[in-house]
Amino acid sequence: MFDSNFLTWQKPALTGAALAAFNILYLMVVFLDVCMTPFFCKIAMLCIFVGLAAKLAMPNALAGMEDVQPLSQEAVKTTASLVTDALNRSTARAVDTVMWRSTSRTVKALVGLEVVRRLAPWMSLTVMIFWGGNSVFVVPYVVEKKWDVIEQKIQPQVKQLLALKDQLHSKIPKYTDLDEKWD
């Protein structure tokens, strides 16, 4: 279901470290009032000065590391291709929605925007970011590991809701069902 080995915890140490880094960064921003731009500038300056200290303390330690490439050309091309495809699809979908090419999608967007506009004063953006960020790491893992339970317990509920939706939808009169024709 999920193609990412990162989000499905195939490498638990890496995924756990990323989740911990996200939570630590979140806690720093929320509770310590850390401003991100100065924080990252200070971290970058610290790295530069540690590099200077390493160069002066051990001049031969970095010999032979002139051509450091943390990412291969293939990884960069793959990532750029995926980002470009996602951006093109989302842009096309946004244009279709705005230009009313799909009426149902546009109406859903309008309803969603209205609901968010009404609920926004009662929701905290920082809490939503915390729950959303942690859900990105937890939900794919749980869905993959517990898919059998989800199918067994939730699928009957989904089928029942879809049947109820179809039943209610069939009660809505249609223009073609009218005996009178308007000319």
Side-chain angles (χ1 to χ4, degrees):
M1 175 175 249
F2 296 100
D3 293 334
S4 174
N5 290 338
F6 180 70
L7 293 178
T8 55
W9 294 73
Q10 298 295 325
K11 297 179 181 176
L14 180 64
T15 307
L19 179 61
F22 172 79
N23 286 327
I24 289 169
L25 190 63
Y26 174 81
L27 293 173
M28 287 172 48
V29 168
V30 172
F31 295 116
L32 300 178
D33 291 328
V34 173
C35 296
M36 297 312 296
T37 303
F39 174 72
F40 283 125
C41 288
K42 289 176 185 177
I43 294 293
M45 289 170 51
L46 177 67
C47 290
I48 289 171
F49 288 125
V50 167
L52 175 65
K55 178 182 177 184
L56 294 176
M58 300 175 286
N60 295 330
L62 299 176
M65 293 185 64
E66 289 81 23
D67 190 26
V68 176
Q69 291 184 351
L71 297 174
S72 68
Q73 292 293 332
E74 185 63 33
V76 171
K77 287 179 184 177
T78 303
T79 304
S81 173
L82 290 172
V83 168
T84 303
D85 290 343
L87 186 61
N88 288 338
R89 276 187 272 124
S90 63
T91 303
R93 200 167 189 155
V95 168
D96 288 348
T97 302
V98 170
M99 300 305 288
W100 288 78
R101 291 191 182 125
S102 172
T103 305
S104 64
R105 184 180 298 153
T106 303
V107 170
K108 287 177 187 175
L110 285 172
V111 169
L113 288 170
E114 181 63 21
V115 168
V116 168
R117 185 181 75 86
R118 300 278 180 172
L119 295 178
W122 295 324
M123 291 187 286
S124 169
L125 182 62
T126 54
V127 172
M128 289 174 48
I129 290 171
F130 176 76
W131 284 109
N134 280 293
S135 296
V136 165
F137 288 99
V138 173
V139 170
Y141 175 77
V142 171
V143 166
E144 187 172 295
K145 294 296 180 187
K146 301 291 184 178
W147 185 249
D148 298 335
V149 175
I150 291 171
E151 276 189 335
Q152 185 182 43
K153 301 286 183 183
I154 296 177
Q155 288 297 347
Q157 303 295 328
V158 170
K159 288 179 183 175
Q160 189 177 21
L161 286 174
L162 289 175
L164 179 64
K165 180 199 71 117
D166 291 339
Q167 179 188 4
L168 293 174
H169 191 71
S170 68
K171 293 181 180 181
I172 299 173
K174 297 179 189 134
Y175 175 74
T176 56
D177 294 342
L178 294 175
D179 291 334
E180 279 184 40
K181 299 293 180 190
W182 295 88
D183 292 326

